[in-house]
Amino acid sequence: MRSRLQQAGLVLLGAIAGILVSVNISAIAQKGGEALPIEELRSFADVFNAVKQGYVEPIEDKKLITHAISGMLSNLDPHSAYLDADAYKDLQVSTQGEFGGLGIEVGMEDGFVKVVAPIEDTPAWKAGVKAGDIVIKLDEAPVKGMTLNDAVKKMRGKPKTSIKLTIIRKGETKPLEITIVRDKIKVQSVKSKMIEDGYGYLRITQFQEETTADVVRQFDKLVKQAAENKGDTKELRGLVLDLRNDPGGLLHSAIGVSAAFLPPKSLVVSTDGRTEDAKRKYIAAAEDYARSPREDVLKNLHGSAKSIPMVVLVNGGSASASEIVAGALQDHKRAVVLGTQTFGKGSVQTVLPLSNNAAIKLTTARYYTPSGRSIQAKGITPDVAVEETPNGGSRDRLREADLERHLAGTEADKGTEKDPAKPAKPQQGKNGKDGKDKGSKAEEDEAKAPVFEIASKNDYQLSQAMNLLKAWQIMKK
């Protein structure tokens, strides 16, 4: 019996090698000059054959191979993944700024779906889903055992249909049930308004294909509004760029937004990985942010964008592309970064299409700010630390360093961080004489505080940004 298994395994080994070649994985391995590990593939073939021969129910070869690829990638880091044909199509559609679903950025932890951030103005955001929420059920189906792609598929669906999310949230004694009606998600990438005479506000909710062009349109709109002011001020005297709760998006859009406010040819971000094409420097030039040099959307940007005093707002929900922009403007001393520590998602994912209309999303490099600081698992530290409320309170947010198997900040950091498989537990307050947690009073005060809403009258961080811009004007006189 064993010899038959071994013979079948050898036959299967050849088939697996053929499959690897067909999906270009062998080419990827050879790019780094490494041969395929024959002994390990033989072990895989033995296991594959044992499952095929002895599992309680018959399983299709395609399903087994797909699960094997998915498991291989998902165990690397939280952002590498196998994308089947549907997931790959969804990814392509979502970068265009319109797709169907709930409107949440999610990851996987301990077999459950964990919310990285709800996208502003989407059904999930309006229903009260928060960063750090752990989804344990979708309708009545347990999430445990699902792949991330399976969970995402279940959350997406036709507009006007509903789904019930059962959520575990820190601070709640029992799971929450939130019913959300799906909708066509149309994310308005850039919003703007005049806060006061002479002071503009630009908010980027996500970096998409048209984000750089939208920044140009919205900034020019602010310039015109300032010129039409009935008072003495006829020009923009200051700008707040709000990147809070921005989960990121497309790299070329982040470079384009940075280029809008930086001198030409300034270094925006660099990447470093194992392959030569993963070692790159991106500058504030059309060749790095425009799909075509002839389509340079910044050529008509108002000239004041390069010199206007700026404050960039960030928080724990600012990730990836938004951290690239904040880091570039901070390193070049072009803006003051105000708020709280950012998420720390500083790794590059390359989408590699496969021959079966699927793809793999593979982490291939780390991002570095112009001064050489690693963003990964660290984030951007604001120049001026300001919490969300006047009493120093901010929401307890999930960050990259809290995710299982997160990539270390740099190669040198490996082994120096906490064990990613065992995230540190939050410290509990010590019991007082009455036996109650001393931290409960602060939690009660936070619960009574007005609901925080970005760009509203009770937006404390925005008000502090405005105070800083006005102080600059006074100092100039």
Side-chain angles (χ1 to χ4, degrees), residues 59-202:
I59 304 179
E60 293 179 357
D61 291 351
K62 180 180 178 181
K63 186 174 183 180
L64 275 179
I65 292 291
T66 298
H67 286 337
I69 296 172
S70 180
M72 174 168 49
L73 289 162
S74 64
N75 277 284
L76 295 175
D77 67 84
H79 308 293
S80 293
Y82 172 73
L83 307 173
D84 62 19
D86 290 337
Y88 184 31
K89 184 178 179 181
D90 287 342
L91 176 66
Q92 293 171 308
V93 171
S94 66
T95 59
Q96 304 302 318
E98 183 175 322
F99 55 95
L102 306 180
I104 49 176
E105 297 282 333
V106 295
M108 210 77 178
E109 184 168 309
D110 292 331
F112 296 109
V113 171
K114 196 159 191 177
V115 178
V116 174
I119 300 172
E120 192 170 324
D121 291 332
T122 62
W125 186 82
K126 293 174 182 176
V129 175
K130 296 181 179 180
D133 283 350
I134 296 175
V135 182
I136 59 173
K137 279 186 181 181
L138 295 170
D139 284 331
E140 299 305 318
V143 171
K144 193 78 169 179
M146 290 185 189
T147 66
L148 183 58
N149 284 340
D150 289 340
V152 170
K153 280 183 184 178
K154 194 166 182 64
M155 285 187 282
R156 290 194 172 180
K158 292 182 179 180
K160 309 307 177 186
T161 61
S162 64
I163 184 171
K164 181 174 69 176
L165 274 60
T166 304
I167 285 172
I168 294 176
R169 179 177 295 166
K170 185 177 178 181
E172 298 291 342
T173 57
K174 59 182 181 180
L176 304 175
E177 292 184 351
I178 302 177
T179 299
I180 307 175
V181 178
R182 298 180 182 91
D183 201 353
K184 183 173 284 188
I185 308 299
K186 295 181 180 179
V187 180
Q188 185 180 346
S189 177
V190 185
K191 304 175 182 180
S192 71
K193 67 177 182 178
M194 293 296 292
I195 304 176
E196 295 180 20
D197 290 346
Y199 294 97
Y201 171 86
L202 267 180

Side-chain angles (χ1 to χ4, degrees), residues 125-319:
W125 186 82
K126 293 174 182 176
V129 175
K130 296 181 179 180
D133 283 350
I134 296 175
V135 182
I136 59 173
K137 279 186 181 181
L138 295 170
D139 284 331
E140 299 305 318
V143 171
K144 193 78 169 179
M146 290 185 189
T147 66
L148 183 58
N149 284 340
D150 289 340
V152 170
K153 280 183 184 178
K154 194 166 182 64
M155 285 187 282
R156 290 194 172 180
K158 292 182 179 180
K160 309 307 177 186
T161 61
S162 64
I163 184 171
K164 181 174 69 176
L165 274 60
T166 304
I167 285 172
I168 294 176
R169 179 177 295 166
K170 185 177 178 181
E172 298 291 342
T173 57
K174 59 182 181 180
L176 304 175
E177 292 184 351
I178 302 177
T179 299
I180 307 175
V181 178
R182 298 180 182 91
D183 201 353
K184 183 173 284 188
I185 308 299
K186 295 181 180 179
V187 180
Q188 185 180 346
S189 177
V190 185
K191 304 175 182 180
S192 71
K193 67 177 182 178
M194 293 296 292
I195 304 176
E196 295 180 20
D197 290 346
Y199 294 97
Y201 171 86
L202 267 180
R203 171 155 176 74
I204 302 178
T205 59
Q206 196 174 16
F207 287 83
Q208 302 166 351
E209 285 285 356
E210 297 299 316
T211 297
T212 304
D214 287 343
V215 164
V216 173
R217 284 190 285 269
Q218 295 293 342
F219 184 81
D220 287 351
K221 178 182 172 183
L222 291 172
V223 171
K224 290 177 182 177
Q225 288 177 336
E228 294 168 357
N229 179 33
K230 295 180 180 179
D232 296 332
T233 305
K234 296 294 183 182
E235 60 183 19
L236 279 179
R237 294 188 293 181
L239 178 71
V240 176
L241 177 62
D242 194 347
L243 302 178
R244 290 174 296 176
N245 294 344
D246 183 331
L250 299 175
L251 173 60
H252 73 269
S253 291
I255 297 167
V257 171
S258 301
F261 304 104
L262 289 174
K265 305 294 183 180
S266 298
L267 177 62
V268 174
V269 67
S270 61
T271 62
D272 189 25
R274 293 174 61 205
T275 61
E276 283 306 311
D277 55 1
K279 303 175 189 295
R280 278 208 58 181
K281 291 185 177 181
Y282 297 90
I283 62 173
E287 57 261 31
D288 282 343
Y289 63 75
R291 286 308 188 196
S292 165
R294 291 173 296 178
E295 299 173 359
D296 185 359
V297 296
L298 294 183
K299 64 184 177 182
N300 297 320
L301 178 66
H302 195 274
S304 62
K306 303 292 185 183
S307 59
I308 187 171
M310 286 180 65
V311 174
V312 178
L313 290 176
V314 297
N315 64 6
S318 306

Side-chain angles (χ1 to χ4, degrees), residues 384-405:
V384 181
V386 177
E387 301 290 343
E388 289 180 354
T389 62
N391 61 7
S394 282
R395 284 173 286 180
D396 187 20
R397 293 180 182 274
L398 172 77
R399 285 184 168 82
E400 177 78 11
D402 299 320
L403 300 179
E404 287 193 50
R405 297 181 298 277

